[in-house]
Structure formats: C-alpha cells, structure tokens
Amino acid sequence: MQERSGYRQLQLLRNASLWQKNCEARTPLSIYLSDHDTRANATLSRYRDYLGHEFEHVWIDCREGLHADAIAALCGTITAGGVLSILLPTNGNTMSQRMEHFAAEFYSEHIADTHPEMLIKPGSPGVPMQLTSEQQTILNSIEGPQQQTTHIITAERGRGKSTLLGRALTRVKDQQAVIVTAPRKANANVLLQQAPHAKFIAWDKLLEQPDDPAKQLVIDEAAGLPLWATAKLCQKYTPWLLATTVAGYEGCGRGFAVHFTEWAQRTLPQVALHQLTQPLRWPLRDPLEQWLTETFLLSEQPITNSVDAPTGTFIVHASELEENVLRQCFQLLLNAHYQSSPNDLHLLLTEPGHRVAYQCRSGKVVAVAWLMDEGPIPVPLKQDILQGRRRPKGNLLPQAIGYFLQQEWAMDIRWLRVARIAVPTGERRQKVASTLLDDTREWARSNHYQMLGTSFAWSEQLDAFWQKNSYQPCRFSSRIDSVSARPAAIYIQPLSASSVAQYRTLGSWGQQQQQWLSVGVKALASTEALGEIRTPLINAYTANIIPFDAAHFALAQWFYWHHPEHHLAELLCQPTMTLKRLSQCWDGISQRQANENLCKEVQTLR
C-alpha cells in the first residue's frame, strides 16, 4: 500500500473557464455541487445527502453566492491528501475575501515535506481502517447493549465517530436486536460499511412503529434529527450508541450536545459521555481544517479578551468589527442558538441590513444581539404577500404579521428585528441583556425605525424575559418547530407614536391567544373586543387565502360569541383541535375536504 502525505489542499478559483476545464477532468472519487452547471452531481442545497461519504476531491461552485454550510460540511468528507476546490462569487465580498486571507495564511508555504506522523495508509476496499488509540480506548469502554448504558459520542467532523459505531456493532452477536438510524441512510454510509449486516430503518419510520424496548438503538449524526424525535426514539427503544458532530456545518449539533445530553442524564438510567479529538481522515495540523476553523470561526476554544476594545454598547455592521471582537460575538451567537451554522457568519459579514449590537467591558463581550433591518415591503409585492401568492426570503416580521394576521400596515413600516441575543454563562442574571435591549431601542428610535420585534421558539422563560423588556406577544404559530418542539412566537414593541395603536391591538390579540393556548375555552370569554383582527382573518380563511391553522383562534372566538350552540363550536373552541380530528365529524373524510366543508359552513352562517 503506497504511503502518501495526509495534508489536504485548498483551491480557490475566480476564473470560470479554468474551473470548467478542471471539472471536466474530475475523477470518480470526487463530488461536484453547483446551482449553475447541469453536469454537477447535485445542487448546493443537497449537500447533506453526501455526509457520511468520503471523497478525494470536492468541487463547490459558488459563483452565484457562497454557501458556507455546504463548504463546511463537505470539507469534512475529504480524505487525507484530498482537495477542496471552490469557485468564488463573480463579485467578491467580505466573506470571500476572508476565505482568501486565511488561505494565504495556512497555505503560504507549499507543503512538500512528508513527516512520519503525516503519512496516511488508506484502507483498501473491504479492509477496515486502523483505529486511532483514542478510538480504541473508547471502544474498549463501550459495554455490550445488554448493559443498559447509553453512550453519547461527540466530536468534530473527521474524527471517526461512524467508524467507531460500526466497530462496536461488529462485536454484537445478534445484530437483528440492534436498530441503526440517521437523518438519512447516506449519513450512516461509513457505519454500514464497517457493519454491513446492521439493520437500518429511517427515523421517521421508527417513530411510527410500536414501542420495542428489547431493540437496542444506534443513531449516527444524531444532531441532524429534531431533538424531540431523538428523545422520543430513546423512549420507544433502548438507546445504546448515539454519535454526532458538534462543530462544523450544523450548529444544531451544539444544541444536541447541551440540551439532549442534559435530558439524557436526567431521564435515562445510565449515560456515558465520550469525546473524540484525534482526526482519523486526515493528520493533525491539517491546513484545510485550520483554514475552515479560522475562516468560519468554528473553534469552541476560549477567546482572549481584546485589550484594545473600548467599553460600552456598540451597534455596527459585522464587517467593521476588529477580529477579536468578531470572534467573541460570533462564538456567543453560535453557542446560544440550536440552529446556528457557518452560513450565519456569511450573512453577518455580507448582508447590508444585518448588524451586531454588543456590550463590551474591559475587552470582553458580555452581551451580543443580531439585528435585522426589515420592511417596508415594496408596493408591487404587498398584495401578493397578503394574498399568500408570494413569500420572498427575508422580512420575516412584516410578512408574517401581514399575511398570517392580515395586517397590511405591517408591510408599510420599518422594523428592527432582534434575531438572536446571547450572554456568556458567567454574565447571566446581571441584566446585561436587558441593558443591551434598552440601548438597541434608543438606537433604533434615533434611526427612525417604527417597531421592534423578535421571533423565537416559545418557552415560559423566554416569554418572561421578553415581556419584562416591554415586548408583547402578537402571534403564536400552531406549527411546532421541528428542532425545539416548541411553537414559534412573535413579540413586538413600538418605537413611534404612530405605531402605538397597532401595538396595542396586536398585543391584545397575542395576550388573549396565549391565554387560550394555556387554559382553553374559558379564555375566550375576554375576546369579544378583538373583532378588528378576527373579522379580516375569517374573511381571508373563507376566501382560501390563509390556512386553518392561521385562522383557528379567530374561528374559535367567532363560534364562541356568535354561534355557541352550533355543533362545531365546542370542537373549534379547543386550541388542540386539528383538521385531522375535525375530519371525523364528516365520517373520516380527508383533511382537505374537512377544510372545504368548514369554509362552506362558516360562509353559510355569515
């Protein structure tokens, strides 16, 4: 077997002609993603399909815009000695300049010397790769599934988590007693190569099957599953091995490491935590991994305070931040949110309407918020959005309030959305987040914004925080967030005298909806005065503009006040009612037909 240097290479190109020439010569052990070239293997949005695979060369066409998540994810699939080639956007921006800057830093000298520790001996087809000493130690500590211990293995990409799972599976005599799952079967490709007789079942299919505690569960790339689904699977079956990436392409891996691990330690009989740090697919000090970590700020290592950073609150575009302050701000944002990703840094550095608000004390960032400029919506788009024909990317608050609450005025004003806010663990409960929100409000008012708002996965703790800071709820979605398993909520605060009336109207609606969702039908007794929003919502529902979910609260009020004796009133006044359950009133017809029947019934009653 030929030994070769394990260092991986990086190729950043701007010349589309040279790119095409190189792509034409790519080998079968490569993957090519592009939104522009029909000869590519897939579009950039399909990058997750290739996690769990290994490639010698990855080609990513970013001429129409950088896709940081795809770059970070597929970088981890490149084996020792491989190459990552990226076609940069035609018009350079701060992010592409950052990529080139760190490329020059980590590839300033041509790596030609082959050191003993840099040699990789790739496994031949069918020959298992030799485990690292770290993997072997963890493998030896993993008892058989009959021991009822749940082993949670976390690591950055390329550390051999899937290989370790596969080796552990090969030690099981009755592999039919073990079920393997993952976000996609392709994600478990390496695991299944190690243990070809393992039984793989898609996670959503597993949720539909009867509980079977006798079956031992193995989940690869667990962070790619919704947290609620992982918890439910661990209750239906006996969890044995769970492995996931906690840094790199999927920020929700951080959420998995924190939230799921806490849940597991509280809920499961016995939990053993393991962490892999030694690379398996490439050597230590691999320049490509260093480039990726520095370019997209993926390191979780503590950051030294910036001695030059002034004290106070500052609101600026991220591209204006000194590198140390940028690192502190982004690390806080990345660790604080379960759906953070490398693409967030790209947005912060390149989107002109995005800003960072941060509070600095003695060179340390003690609070940070991600702010987004939203609205007003261009006139040609307003009616399309209001009628549900268009939902352009961005402008979450004016579009959601405009469409789901049928409030056209929301699309005519300037909003400042607090997309995220984060505080270091040691600074919490000291009102630094509230102080930052106060400063943000004054800055927004002086810059002529008319309304502040935020949207988040609702919880009692977050509700208390935002209401304490004078934000009032105006809408709760009936749809459950796939990761947090909580409903999305929108909270708002007025900034101008002209927006106070709308704030009060929406605030009353949101407070009453919150009560209804909490205590049920008895909360409807105080909703008689909400007709200003109720009427347009019912009109939009019967005109097939908004779905049942968006109209449910309005329908519950309307039946409660105007048709309390109707046979549908008792059902619709329940906040947990769904079209699926409602369809049983019409002898089990489809949900679509149930929706049509309800629309006709409301139209008749009106």
Side-chain angles (χ1 to χ4, degrees):
M1 189 180 300
Q2 183 179 3
E3 293 185 346
R4 59 189 174 90
S5 171
Y7 281 134
R8 299 177 301 165
Q9 301 299 311
L10 173 66
Q11 184 182 46
L12 301 179
L13 296 175
R14 290 192 179 276
N15 187 312
S17 299
L18 180 60
W19 173 265
Q20 292 298 336
K21 181 180 178 181
N22 289 348
C23 283
E24 290 172 1
R26 67 183 191 274
T27 67
L29 295 177
S30 67
I31 184 72
Y32 177 27
L33 270 66
S34 174
D35 292 334
H36 180 81
D37 194 339
T38 56
R39 296 171 298 177
N41 298 94
T43 61
L44 290 172
S45 63
R46 304 296 302 180
Y47 71 90
R48 287 186 178 88
D49 293 348
Y50 299 95
L51 301 177
H53 292 257
E54 295 183 341
F55 302 103
E56 289 182 353
H57 201 148
V58 170
W59 304 81
I60 304 179
D61 181 355
C62 292
R63 76 184 79 181
E64 296 181 358
L66 284 170
H67 198 307
D69 290 353
I71 293 170
L74 295 178
C75 184
T77 67
I78 302 171
T79 55
V83 181
L84 172 63
S85 295
I86 302 172
L87 180 59
L88 296 172
T90 305
N91 298 318
N93 55 38
T94 306
M95 191 70 242
S96 61
Q97 292 167 6
R98 184 178 181 87
M99 292 166 65
E100 292 179 301
H101 167 77
F102 284 105
E105 179 175 330
F106 292 107
Y107 288 94
S108 58
E109 297 181 5
H110 179 66
I111 303 169
D113 295 333
T114 303
H115 303 287
E117 69 273 19
M118 302 303 171
L119 296 177
I120 301 295
K121 295 183 178 181
S124 301
V127 179
M129 183 179 289
Q130 183 177 354
L131 296 181
T132 64
S133 58
E134 184 180 53
Q135 284 179 307
Q136 190 64 56
T137 299
I138 294 176
L139 181 61
N140 292 339
S141 72
I142 295 176
E143 306 94 340
Q146 71 280 1
Q147 299 299 318
Q148 302 298 308
T149 298
T150 300
H151 297 271
I152 300 177
I153 304 164
T154 60
E156 295 183 20
R157 186 155 297 283
R159 266 60 185 175
K161 302 177 303 299
S162 299
T163 298
L164 183 58
L165 293 185
R167 292 296 182 86
L169 265 173
T170 60
R171 295 183 172 188
V172 178
K173 293 181 179 179
D174 182 11
Q175 294 206 4
Q176 292 304 304
V178 180
I179 300 172
V180 176
T181 195
R184 298 169 179 79
K185 188 174 183 179
N187 298 153
N189 184 51
V190 173
L191 184 161
L192 296 173
Q193 285 178 352
Q194 297 285 326
H197 300 296
K199 183 180 181 181
F200 181 91
I201 302 177
W203 67 271
D204 53 341
K205 299 297 182 184
L206 281 177
L207 288 173
E208 297 172 358
Q209 294 185 6
D211 292 4
D212 190 355
K215 295 289 187 182
Q216 306 294 321
L217 182 66
V218 176
I219 307 179
D220 200 0
E221 290 298 352
L225 270 61
L227 285 172
W228 64 265
T230 304
K232 191 170 183 179
L233 286 171
C234 290
Q235 293 169 333
K236 290 174 68 67
Y237 308 94
T238 298
W240 178 35
L241 302 174
L242 287 79
T244 196
T245 304
V246 293
Y249 75 99
E250 50 188 347
C252 58
R254 300 170 191 266
F256 176 92
V258 176
H259 302 301
F260 177 80
T261 300
E262 289 177 353
W263 175 88
Q265 290 177 320
R266 289 195 313 268
T267 310
L268 302 178
Q270 189 171 345
V271 176
L273 304 178
H274 311 278
Q275 185 175 19
L276 286 167
T277 59
Q278 186 176 342
L280 181 68
R281 291 180 187 163
W282 52 81
L284 293 170
R285 300 187 298 280
D286 176 68
L288 185 62
E289 183 171 44
Q290 295 178 71
W291 170 82
L292 183 74
T293 299
E294 293 301 305
T295 300
F296 297 105
L297 300 180
L298 300 180
S299 175
E300 295 186 356
Q301 298 300 316
I303 299 170
T304 305
N305 295 353
S306 176
V307 294
D308 299 326
T311 295
T313 297
F314 306 91
I315 300 178
V316 298
H317 193 268
S319 62
E320 302 172 31
L321 292 173
E322 181 263 329
E323 180 69 18
N324 180 277
V325 174
L326 175 65
R327 288 172 180 268
Q328 290 190 62
C329 288
F330 191 69
Q331 188 176 85
L332 270 178
L333 291 171
L334 202 61
N335 289 331
H337 199 268
Y338 57 85
Q339 289 182 313
S340 299
S341 76
N343 208 49
D344 292 342
L345 182 64
H346 176 220
L347 293 174
L348 280 167
L349 289 173
T350 60
E351 287 293 329
H354 292 207
R355 291 176 180 82
V356 173
Y358 68 98
Q359 190 178 134
C360 200
R361 185 194 309 143
S362 301
K364 178 183 179 181
V365 175
V366 296
V368 61
W370 183 349
L371 309 178
M372 296 184 183
D373 189 352
E374 298 188 339
I377 303 295
V379 174
L381 280 176
K382 281 174 52 180
Q383 286 305 311
D384 281 345
I385 293 171
L386 204 63
Q387 298 294 314
R389 293 189 292 264
R390 296 280 303 276
R391 187 69 187 271
K393 188 176 181 180
N395 291 302
L396 184 152
L397 296 177
Q399 289 199 76
I401 295 173
Y403 173 66
F404 289 111
L405 293 176
Q406 289 292 293
Q407 301 296 299
E408 185 174 354
W409 62 266
M411 296 185 282
D412 296 329
I413 67 173
R414 288 189 71 201
W415 293 81
L416 184 66
R417 175 159 70 98
V418 183
R420 294 179 197 169
I421 186 166
V423 174
T425 303
E427 301 291 338
R428 292 173 186 170
R429 302 187 183 279
Q430 298 182 36
K431 298 184 178 181
V432 289
S434 295
T435 300
L436 184 62
L437 287 178
D438 289 342
D439 293 339
T440 298
R441 180 180 62 247
E442 295 309 310
W443 178 88
R445 184 178 283 122
S446 65
N447 281 274
H448 311 296
Y449 290 90
Q450 291 153 286
M451 195 83 82
L452 283 166
T454 186
S455 178
F456 55 89
W458 189 89
S459 70
E460 289 186 3
Q461 183 180 10
L462 290 175
D463 169 72
F465 169 77
W466 287 106
Q467 295 219 38
K468 181 181 178 182
N469 285 282
S470 301
Y471 284 72
Q472 293 293 321
C474 72
R475 179 178 187 270
F476 294 88
S477 172
S478 60
R479 298 182 184 275
I480 301 299
D481 181 85
S482 63
V483 177
S484 68
R486 303 198 300 260
I490 293 176
Y491 284 49
I492 62 174
Q493 180 182 158
L495 291 172
S496 64
S498 61
S499 62
V500 170
Q502 291 97 334
Y503 162 76
R504 288 175 177 166
T505 300
L506 286 184
S508 296
W509 180 272
Q511 292 283 7
Q512 295 293 342
Q513 187 183 16
Q514 187 174 18
Q515 282 296 308
W516 177 62
L517 293 171
S518 176
V519 302
V521 62
K522 62 182 180 181
L524 297 175
S526 57
T527 62
E528 187 175 12
L530 298 180
E532 186 178 344
I533 297 180
R534 179 172 64 237
T535 299
L537 283 180
I538 293 175
N539 291 340
Y541 175 66
T542 56
N544 295 310
I545 292 173
I546 63 173
F548 169 77
D549 292 343
H552 188 189
F553 182 42
L555 289 168
Q557 296 173 46
W558 189 71
F559 272 91
Y560 180 89
W561 288 108
H562 300 287
H563 301 281
E565 303 302 323
H566 194 279
H567 70 280
L568 290 175
E570 184 178 354
L571 296 173
L572 289 170
C573 287
Q574 301 174 22
T576 56
M577 183 54 55
T578 63
L579 279 177
K580 184 176 181 179
R581 290 177 58 194
L582 204 59
S583 67
Q584 303 306 312
C585 297
W586 289 287
D587 300 322
I589 59 177
S590 69
Q591 294 183 51
R592 180 177 179 180
Q593 289 174 311
N595 190 63
E596 292 174 356
N597 285 1
L598 179 57
C599 281
K600 291 176 182 178
E601 193 73 23
V602 173
Q603 288 171 333
T604 301
L605 291 171
R606 299 183 79 191

